[in-house]
Amino acid sequence: MTDLRTHAEEIHEQFSDQLEIDVEDVESRLDTLVNEYKVPLEEARRSVTNGYLDEAGMERDDLGGGGGNEHVELADIDTAEQWVDVTAKVVDLWEPRSDSIAQVGLLGDESGTIKFTKWAKSDLPELEEEHVYDLGNVVTDEYQGNYSVKLNRTTTIEEVEEDIEVGDDTRTVEGALVDIQNGSGLIKRCPEEGCTRVLQNGRCSEHGEVDGEFDLRIKGVLDDGNEVQEIIFDQEATEELTGIELEEAKDMAMDALDTTVVADEMRAATLGRYYRVTGPTLGRYVLVNDLEILDEPVDAEQALIKARSI
């Protein structure tokens, strides 16, 4: 069975009670997007699913898994738009960026950790740090190779009276900050519920042209002389690293009529320094939770030469 057919059958099962569609129609829509328009399969699946949601007058939270879900370990989640069951400990809770999000943080099991989001309108009970839960009917998501799970109004939550020794995917890396990549500084994210994608030219890859919400981040590269490691600073970590807070960054961009001045200022303040950072591994990135400056700033180009000569 082809991947297209498998995805088509899963989508068909989700909508079979609401729409009169057959698997061939679903597969045809997927085939058009994937083979004619060269859309990645996971993005094509999201697009087709969104189309059927509109036809059925449904919201994504109304969409169930379409039957008995597989119980999976977190490290085995490698496909988006899958409805699964997991047993996991709440490792960390973060401050939600939007009123539409009730809770956001990290779940962990023996295999590792994964980000989770619980929507405010889902009316689910609060999760507590260090507690273990059976979570039924959560949906997987993917963005730039990083997977997460979302809790919605169909999710079931049952606390488990046991502990889980969470697999440690936390890393500590150090080296010279030799690059701040594009997409850093003052950015805008999609405001649509359930989406935190960074906008490109005012467009979300899933929701099209939208009015974004400002955020700060740095996508950087540390080089220790032997290997490079890509790292991500979220808003809180970026403010700590640079001393530039979100409102100040917005004022800077408004005065210059150009958001790139923020990233330029951040580069001037941080490139060439040596850092030690610690945080969970999300895809190819380390998400910075803890930060230590190891020395005074030096010339970034010389820092790279020095790091690679170690």
Side-chain angles (χ1 to χ4, degrees):
M1 183 181 297
T2 66
D3 285 345
L4 283 181
R5 186 72 178 187
T6 300
H7 283 276
E9 289 185 350
E10 291 172 351
I11 294 172
H12 174 265
E13 189 173 3
Q14 290 178 315
F15 289 98
S16 57
D17 292 337
Q18 291 82 21
L19 297 173
E20 293 185 6
I21 57 174
D22 53 39
V23 176
E24 287 70 24
D25 175 60
V26 182
E27 186 175 13
S28 175
R29 294 193 186 193
L30 288 171
D31 181 73
T32 298
L33 290 172
V34 171
N35 294 319
E36 289 188 29
Y37 294 98
K38 308 303 179 184
V39 175
L41 179 54
E42 296 301 332
E43 187 174 333
R45 174 169 179 150
R46 282 194 292 270
S47 177
V48 171
T49 299
N50 288 338
Y52 285 130
L53 284 171
D54 289 342
E55 290 181 30
M58 299 168 58
E59 296 185 20
R60 184 169 291 274
D61 281 357
D62 299 324
L63 194 61
N69 297 332
E70 181 181 3
H71 192 283
V72 300
E73 290 192 330
L74 301 181
D76 292 331
I77 294 175
D78 58 4
T79 306
E81 299 289 345
Q82 299 294 302
W83 295 81
V84 298
D85 301 336
V86 300
T87 300
K89 175 189 282 189
V90 179
V91 177
D92 197 11
L93 291 173
W94 307 328
E95 190 68 26
R97 290 180 50 256
S98 167
D99 291 340
S100 65
I101 297 175
Q103 289 185 292
V104 60
L106 278 182
L107 298 176
D109 64 11
E110 292 87 348
S111 69
T113 58
I114 197 168
K115 177 185 173 183
F116 83 92
T117 301
K118 177 165 72 72
W119 304 121
K121 71 176 184 180
S122 63
D123 198 28
L124 294 172
E126 290 289 298
L127 303 182
E128 298 183 41
E129 284 189 10
E130 300 301 316
H131 289 228
V132 178
Y133 300 91
D134 282 330
L135 303 174
N137 216 42
V138 301
V139 64
T140 62
D141 194 18
E142 178 269 337
Y143 180 59
Q144 293 188 343
N146 298 318
Y147 290 93
S148 62
V149 295
K150 296 180 178 180
L151 284 59
N152 56 85
R153 69 179 64 175
T154 70
T155 298
T156 59
I157 299 176
E158 182 177 347
E159 186 169 355
V160 178
E161 296 298 326
E162 65 180 65
D163 194 19
I164 289 179
E165 186 170 345
V166 176
D168 187 9
D169 61 359
T170 297
R171 292 187 61 195
T172 297
V173 294
E174 61 182 65
L177 184 64
V178 296
D179 188 27
I180 290 181
Q181 300 172 331
N182 291 336
S184 297
L186 184 63
I187 61 173
K188 277 191 172 184
R189 296 187 184 274
C190 179
E192 293 294 326
E193 186 168 326
C195 187
T196 59
R197 288 171 171 80
V198 176
L199 304 186
Q200 303 294 333
N201 298 318
R203 294 185 61 84
C204 170
S205 60
E206 182 169 349
H207 298 104
E209 190 168 341
V210 293
D211 291 326
E213 297 177 343
F214 282 111
D215 192 15
L216 291 177
R217 76 168 179 188
I218 286 179
K219 296 171 65 178
V221 179
L222 287 184
D223 191 322
D224 68 358
N226 295 312
E227 62 179 16
V228 297
Q229 173 63 56
E230 294 179 89
I231 55 178
I232 292 182
F233 298 82
D234 63 10
Q235 178 182 328
E236 182 179 351
T238 297
E239 291 176 341
E240 178 185 353
L241 176 70
T242 65
I244 300 173
E245 297 187 351
L246 179 59
E247 289 305 315
E248 181 184 354
K250 289 162 65 175
D251 289 342
M252 291 168 57
M254 183 176 297
D255 289 342
L257 300 178
D258 184 1
T259 59
T260 64
V261 299
V262 178
D264 291 342
E265 186 73 17
M266 291 177 174
R267 289 186 178 93
T270 61
L271 284 180
R273 287 182 180 267
Y274 281 76
Y275 298 96
R276 180 182 294 118
V277 301
T278 301
T281 302
L282 297 174
R284 69 179 187 268
Y285 297 99
V286 171
L287 179 62
V288 177
N289 284 342
D290 297 305
L291 164 70
E292 180 183 356
I293 301 174
L294 299 182
D295 71 354
E296 292 302 312
V298 297
D299 180 81
E301 209 169 301
Q302 291 301 315
L304 176 57
I305 294 171
K306 179 181 176 182
R308 288 179 173 167
S309 67
I310 296 174

